Amino acid sequence: MPENSISEKSKSGHSIRASGSCLASKQQPVPFRGGGFVPVSRPWMGFVVFFVLIVFLEAGTRIGFISALTIPKPSDVLNTFVELYSSGLLWTHLVPSLMRFVIGAAIGTLLGVSLGIAIGLFAYVRAGLVPLIAALFPVPKIALLPLFVIWFGIDEASKYALIAFGTFTPMVVATYGAVDNVDRGLIRMGQSFNLSWFSIVRKIVLPGAMAGILSGLRIALAIAIILLVAAEMLGAEYGIGAYILQAGSLYDLERLFTGVAILSILGVLVNSAIGLVEKHVLRWRG
């Protein structure tokens, strides 16, 4: 073989290796979960959105292009909230609402998660109860409030029952859907290592389903707040719902929007609490 062809091949080999090394140096490592799909926490953005909205409403009501008969000035709502706190009526209305919300939502969540796990794990339970849950889930829960009053009376039991039932059905659906979505490959891997049934459920199924369960919990607790207000509007002397109903009957917009703002703050706090639980429980996702 001629020397010039050998030299040309060696030069081409050096150039290929050089270009390969250049490409390798330019390649960037792909972060876990694709980089762009990792949620980045920017909590200050939420405060910016709230601040801009409040400033817009304040300026609009002061200038006049937003009618004071439809939306009060945010500053007046804040003054009403301060008066409500100073007089002690805030806790008079808030504490009973929190008690109803916590007890009713806890009962509904525990029952819903337990039944959802049973539906996801046992074929006979799924075959027997999924049609029943599918029939109950679309029923408007507020429409059942008079029925709960007939069954449990107008006192606290009917309010607990309504909130629990409204929380129960979405938690059942979210839980057994989350169990169904657990990777079957992981379950088979656990079986190949001769893990017991309880170990597979505890170490694979429940951790894999936890993200879906917590997502369902966000929706269920939002429904619980709505049903709390509806229950308190029907037959409660004290509570945020009763406070809003009284303000609406008097067409007192400042008090009405103060009650709505308290419910909004409650929703934000509940959502933030679930977010903290997600960070702790789902930290294995990276």
Side-chain angles (χ1 to χ4, degrees), residues 61-283:
T61 50
R62 287 185 180 275
I63 294 173
F65 70 86
I66 297 177
S67 174
L69 297 176
T70 56
I71 298 179
K73 293 195 290 289
S75 57
D76 292 339
V77 174
L78 178 61
N79 292 332
T80 304
F81 180 82
V82 172
E83 293 174 1
L84 187 66
Y85 175 79
S86 302
S87 64
L89 286 176
L90 174 63
W91 303 113
T92 302
H93 288 286
L94 185 59
V95 171
S97 293
L98 290 178
M99 289 293 295
R100 293 161 186 152
F101 173 75
V102 171
I103 295 175
I107 294 172
T109 299
L110 290 176
L111 293 177
V113 171
S114 301
L115 187 59
I117 292 174
I119 290 174
L121 296 178
F122 302 106
Y124 284 105
V125 179
R126 175 189 295 266
L129 293 183
V130 165
L132 178 61
I133 298 299
L136 293 176
F137 186 70
V139 175
K141 309 307 182 290
I142 296 178
L144 297 178
L145 180 55
L147 182 61
F148 284 113
V149 171
I150 295 173
W151 286 351
F152 301 101
I154 202 168
D155 294 329
E156 298 300 309
S158 61
K159 300 174 180 58
Y160 296 152
L162 179 66
I163 296 170
F165 183 68
T167 311
F168 168 76
T169 49
M171 285 309 303
V172 172
V173 174
T175 301
Y176 81 72
V179 172
D180 283 347
N181 287 328
V182 175
D183 189 357
R184 292 297 183 268
L186 296 176
I187 296 176
R188 295 189 186 97
M189 182 179 65
Q191 292 172 338
S192 67
F193 281 99
N194 293 323
L195 293 179
S196 65
W197 184 87
F198 288 102
S199 295
I200 291 175
V201 172
R202 183 171 60 89
K203 298 179 180 179
I204 298 176
V205 175
L206 291 182
M210 193 57 65
I213 293 173
L214 291 176
S215 297
L217 184 62
R218 292 178 186 271
I219 300 173
L221 293 184
I223 295 174
I225 294 176
I226 297 171
L227 295 176
L228 167 69
V229 176
E232 290 179 341
M233 284 183 173
L234 181 62
E237 184 179 0
Y238 297 107
I240 302 301
Y243 178 81
I244 292 175
L245 181 63
Q246 295 169 6
S249 62
L250 298 174
Y251 205 74
D252 190 340
L253 291 183
E254 285 80 10
R255 291 178 58 196
L256 192 152
F257 273 81
T258 299
V260 172
I262 292 173
L263 293 175
S264 299
I265 293 172
L266 177 61
V268 171
L269 293 177
V270 168
N271 188 73
S272 300
I274 296 175
L276 293 176
V277 173
E278 283 183 340
K279 287 182 179 179
H280 177 73
V281 175
L282 304 178
R283 61 182 183 275

